[in-house]
């Protein structure tokens, strides 16, 4: 039994390690994109408010939530809400 992977056979452990490496790469890409999205969203909000606009646009937020829900199912709603919060802060 391989302690780090939980696999019973060496070849399976090697496969698991390779897949985990790719998962780690994907996780880093998600983190990088999340941070970029958050910065852009904050800039949009600051620009909108500096021009005399509102702090947020609810129709736009609904559009984002709907897009994530359609793509990811019920969990998509939670992902979208977390993304929105990271870009605009809590309501």
């Amino acid at each position: 039994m391989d302690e780090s992977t939980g696999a019973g056979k060496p070849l399976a452990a090697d496969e698991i390690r390779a897949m985990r490496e790719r998962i780690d790469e994907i996780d880093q890409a998600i983190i990088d994109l999340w941070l970029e999205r958050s910065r852009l969203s904050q800039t949009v909000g600051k620009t909108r408010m500096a021009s005399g606009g509102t702090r947020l646009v609810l129709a736009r937020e609904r559009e984002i939530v709907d897009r994530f829900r359609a793509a990811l199912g019920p969990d998509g709603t939670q992902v979208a809400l977390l993304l929105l919060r990271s870009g605009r802060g809590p309501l």
Side-chain angles (χ1 to χ4, degrees), residues 10 18 25:
E25 291 169 356

Side-chain angles (χ1 to χ4, degrees), residues 7-74:
K9 297 185 179 185
L11 285 177
D14 291 343
E15 288 179 30
I16 290 169
R17 280 189 202 90
M19 288 184 277
R20 284 181 175 172
E21 185 175 314
R22 181 63 184 135
I23 287 170
D24 290 346
E25 291 169 356
I26 292 168
D27 286 349
Q28 188 59 56
I30 291 169
I31 290 166
D32 293 343
L33 289 169
W34 184 291
L35 293 171
E36 179 182 4
R37 188 196 188 287
S38 181
R39 284 189 299 270
L40 285 168
S41 184
Q42 290 169 14
T43 302
V44 166
K46 288 175 185 174
T47 303
R48 187 175 45 247
M49 289 186 348
S51 72
T54 60
R55 178 168 177 253
L56 53 100
V57 178
L58 291 178
R60 172 69 175 154
E61 291 204 356
R62 269 188 244 109
E63 178 185 313
I64 293 165
V65 170
D66 290 346
R67 182 180 328 127
F68 275 80
R69 185 182 311 117
L72 304 175

